[in-house]
Amino acid sequence: MNHFSPSLTQWNQSEERPIACVVQPSLLDMPRTYTQTLDTPAYKGTVSIDTGLFINGQFVDAVKGDSVDVYNPATGKIITSVAAGSKEDVDIAVAAAEKAYKTSWGLKVPGAQRGRLLSKLADLIERDIDEFAALESLNTGRPFTASKAVDVTSTIATIRYYAGFADKIQGRTIETSEHKLAYTRHEPYGVVGQIVPWNFPLSMISWKIGPALATGNTIVLKPSEVTPLTAQKLATIVIEAGFPPGVLNIVNGYGPTVGQAIAEHPLIEKVAFTGSTATGRRIQEASAKSNLKAISLELGGKSPNIIFEDADLEQAVKWAARGIFPNAGQMCSASSRILVQEGIYDAFVEHFIAAAKSFEGAVGDPFELETQHGPQGSQTQLDRVLGYLDVAKKEGGSILTGGERLGDKGYFVQPTIIAGTNDMKAVREEIFGPVASLIKFKTEEEAIEIANDSVYGLAAAVFTENNARAIRVAHALEAGSLFVNNYNWLDTGMPFGGYKQSGIGRDLGEYALDMYTHVKAVHVNLGLRL
């Protein structure tokens, strides 16, 4: 990724993973409900959402009446428009969240009750799993089968996981002396801001709201303006689940308006963000210049996958393909740098090209059962990926397969493999597309040096049948998540986050709870007199 000026006036949540939406002048003439009936091989039914902002338990128009068009990336056509908020809307949402925190949530509500509501929310999403998956596929172009089996299913699991923790937010009693009772309390921040990306909209929301609500915080959430549909559906379910008004508020809009307002708001005590490293820098700066908010950032990556000569070649190829080509490569932890030991390099290339072509052969409508390869998230993202491919060719990279746009409808790119070196721009910077760079290496030491030669440190992998080598290399790699003989096999109970410029803090697992609580130390005098 490039480094940009930290001016918040130019801030776009997806600046390095761009978008193509248009702000409309007025919401007043726009229908407040979007409904569409689908009759496809994968889904037959009706989807429906309210297109307003969700503040204080109800859908409302944006103060300024603006809206944003939402596109189907598989066709390039507009799906609908949703309300686009502003600083004024954020102010209203924060006020609602603060009131809820002080009166009907936070420490006013036992953890067991918060857990019951989160469990109810998960049950309702499960009830409507097909509709959620259909909305996700319409908005992202991701195959319906993957949206349902992976994204929505993992969302349900994540919310249930944190429902179980809601009554287990505990401090410690610490031995000091017989004259003193010393203990700690883990208390919520209060109002937190959360900003999520467009690549996995619903599951990323669950990663944020699960631990925040379990620990007793109230939320002002900004979905990506590119993919707001499942967030709008979730708002309806929040009402049905029985959450008090103001506990979860959803304000759609752009980074320079809604995102900036969240990052700078003096009553928001913590911000959690997933997206580009450039925007993460701006959020950190805004925190420093406003009220020194606590922040957690899950940012970009250029993750290495090291494949040694003694690896199971067939399995290494399959996992490597799974690490880069699903979701059109739009994964922050994608294994976009694949390091292959020279003794098996040619054989790996042959089989990996075949794997890439199998994805290309299954490109198409996300509602066709055979589809495996979907589009980039927007026209701008398509242009970005193709731009990097042009740069790779100019830098002398060899395009082993792919490298071109697929068709002229929608935002599809061929699964691409580049043979290159670690000093190439396309190898060092996050492309956020179905582009794998292959690098040949000789020794273990060389592989570790190449892998760690990056400003990022989100994920990494090692493939070998030698257990001692696997553990040795895993410990030497500078990344937050290490995969041994697999890739991107995540688990709700395991933390996820980065080293270096890939972020601060952790999502998922019990570790995420620490991102949403203060630790208060209480010292009680039991009899010491002066």
Side-chain angles (χ1 to χ4, degrees):
M1 295 182 185
N2 297 318
H3 298 164
F4 296 95
S5 163
S7 169
L8 277 168
T9 60
Q10 299 176 357
W11 177 20
N12 187 312
Q13 171 194 345
S14 306
E15 179 153 352
E16 301 210 77
R17 301 171 188 172
I19 58 165
C21 293
V22 179
V23 173
Q24 300 297 322
S26 177
L27 184 69
L28 300 179
D29 298 326
M30 185 186 78
R32 270 285 299 274
T33 301
Y34 162 72
T35 301
Q36 183 172 346
T37 299
L38 301 171
D39 184 6
T40 71
Y43 176 77
K44 300 180 188 299
T46 299
V47 296
S48 182
I49 60 166
D50 193 301
T51 58
L53 306 179
F54 183 68
I55 297 176
N56 203 30
Q58 59 185 335
F59 289 98
V60 298
D61 293 336
V63 169
K64 295 183 177 179
D66 291 336
S67 65
V68 57
D69 287 342
V70 181
Y71 288 80
N72 179 342
T75 64
K77 297 180 179 179
I78 294 174
I79 301 170
T80 187
S81 298
V82 299
S86 62
K87 179 182 181 299
E88 290 80 1
D89 296 295
V90 171
D91 288 341
I92 295 169
V94 170
E98 185 181 28
K99 180 180 179 182
Y101 177 71
K102 292 180 176 180
T103 61
S104 58
W105 200 248
L107 300 178
K108 302 291 185 181
V109 177
Q113 184 175 338
R114 298 197 300 269
R116 284 194 295 271
L117 289 172
L118 281 166
S119 291
K120 179 65 172 177
L121 182 65
D123 290 344
L124 293 172
I125 296 172
E126 187 171 47
R127 181 198 67 188
D128 295 344
I129 187 170
D130 286 338
E131 186 177 357
F132 272 102
L135 286 166
E136 198 81 326
S137 293
L138 271 175
N139 207 172
T140 66
R142 184 155 159 83
F144 176 87
T145 51
S147 292
K148 180 178 179 178
V150 180
D151 302 341
V152 187
T153 297
S154 68
T155 294
I156 296 164
T158 299
I159 293 175
R160 283 183 175 149
Y161 177 86
Y162 288 110
F165 267 112
D167 61 355
K168 302 173 184 65
I169 311 302
Q170 301 166 343
R172 297 178 181 178
T173 300
I174 299 169
E175 284 296 321
T176 57
S177 77
E178 62 181 3
H179 300 296
K180 184 178 186 179
L181 171 63
Y183 62 94
T184 61
R185 286 164 54 90
H186 289 219
E187 298 181 353
Y189 279 102
V191 181
V192 303
Q194 299 182 326
I195 304 171
V196 296
W198 50 259
N199 56 331
F200 295 103
L202 186 62
S203 60
M204 291 296 98
I205 289 174
S206 72
W207 287 23
K208 304 300 187 196
I209 70 170
L213 294 176
T215 50
N217 297 278
T218 57
I219 299 169
V220 177
L221 172 73
K222 179 195 176 303
S224 169
E225 62 273 26
V226 184
T227 52
L229 298 189
T230 45
Q232 296 299 108
K233 175 65 178 175
L234 180 68
T236 303
I237 298 298
V238 165
I239 298 172
E240 187 177 354
F243 282 84
V247 170
L248 175 59
N249 306 274
I250 300 175
V251 183
N252 287 306
Y254 284 107
T257 49
V258 175
Q260 178 178 347
I262 288 173
E264 295 181 339
H265 203 289
L267 297 181
I268 291 179
E269 295 293 337
K270 185 258 178 352
V271 170
F273 169 76
T274 295
S276 75
T277 298
T279 300
R281 290 175 184 275
R282 296 185 181 115
I283 289 173
Q284 193 168 26
E285 181 182 24
S287 169
K289 289 184 174 180
S290 56
N291 58 337
L292 283 176
K293 296 173 179 63
I295 59 171
S296 52
L297 307 171
E298 194 265 280
L299 307 175
K302 195 70 179 180
S303 301
N305 180 359
I306 303 174
I307 301 172
F308 287 98
E309 290 171 343
D310 66 344
D312 182 322
L313 183 61
E314 179 184 7
Q315 284 297 302
V317 168
K318 289 180 177 179
W319 283 104
R322 170 179 167 146
I324 185 61
F325 296 132
N327 206 36
Q330 297 166 139
M331 302 173 287
C332 53
S333 57
S335 59
S336 49
R337 289 189 298 150
I338 303 176
L339 285 60
V340 184
Q341 201 162 18
E342 58 184 4
I344 60 168
Y345 183 84
D346 291 341
F348 179 87
V349 168
E350 177 185 355
H351 292 290
F352 194 48
I353 288 173
K357 289 184 175 179
S358 72
F359 271 87
E360 183 177 340
V363 67
D365 188 319
F367 291 96
E368 294 292 335
L369 295 173
E370 299 79 14
T371 298
Q372 296 183 48
H373 183 63
Q376 307 312 122
S378 68
Q379 177 68 54
T380 311
Q381 181 63 17
L382 170 66
D383 293 341
R384 174 185 171 84
V385 174
L386 295 177
Y388 269 106
L389 294 177
D390 288 341
V391 169
K393 296 170 187 175
K394 293 175 183 177
E395 289 182 322
S398 176
I399 306 295
L400 303 181
T401 188
E404 303 292 339
R405 181 176 182 174
L406 274 169
D408 57 5
K409 183 179 78 169
Y411 312 133
F412 295 89
V413 175
Q414 291 176 316
T416 300
I417 302 172
I418 302 172
T421 58
N422 205 49
D423 59 351
M424 294 171 55
K425 182 176 181 179
V427 178
R428 298 192 67 81
E429 297 185 11
E430 185 180 44
I431 298 175
F432 221 57
V435 182
S437 300
L438 298 187
I439 303 171
K440 187 188 298 185
F441 73 90
K442 291 183 179 181
T443 67
E444 177 181 316
E445 293 74 18
E446 180 188 12
I448 293 171
E449 182 179 357
I450 294 171
N452 287 338
D453 183 17
S454 172
V455 298
Y456 299 113
L458 191 57
V462 53
F463 283 81
T464 177
E465 294 297 290
N466 184 320
N467 288 336
R469 170 187 277 165
I471 295 172
R472 183 171 63 244
V473 174
H475 290 182
L477 294 175
E478 298 166 354
S481 292
L482 263 295
F483 303 99
V484 176
N485 294 327
N486 72 91
Y487 201 89
N488 256 357
W489 187 8
L490 300 176
D491 190 278
T492 305
M494 286 288 283
F496 184 84
Y499 284 22
K500 299 188 278 191
Q501 293 183 35
S502 286
I504 300 169
R506 293 295 179 267
D507 288 317
L508 295 181
E510 190 172 356
Y511 290 86
L513 299 169
D514 295 336
M515 302 294 104
Y516 292 95
T517 55
H518 291 290
V519 178
K520 176 182 285 183
V522 181
H523 306 260
V524 181
N525 188 342
L526 298 181
L528 179 64
R529 300 181 64 83
L530 299 179

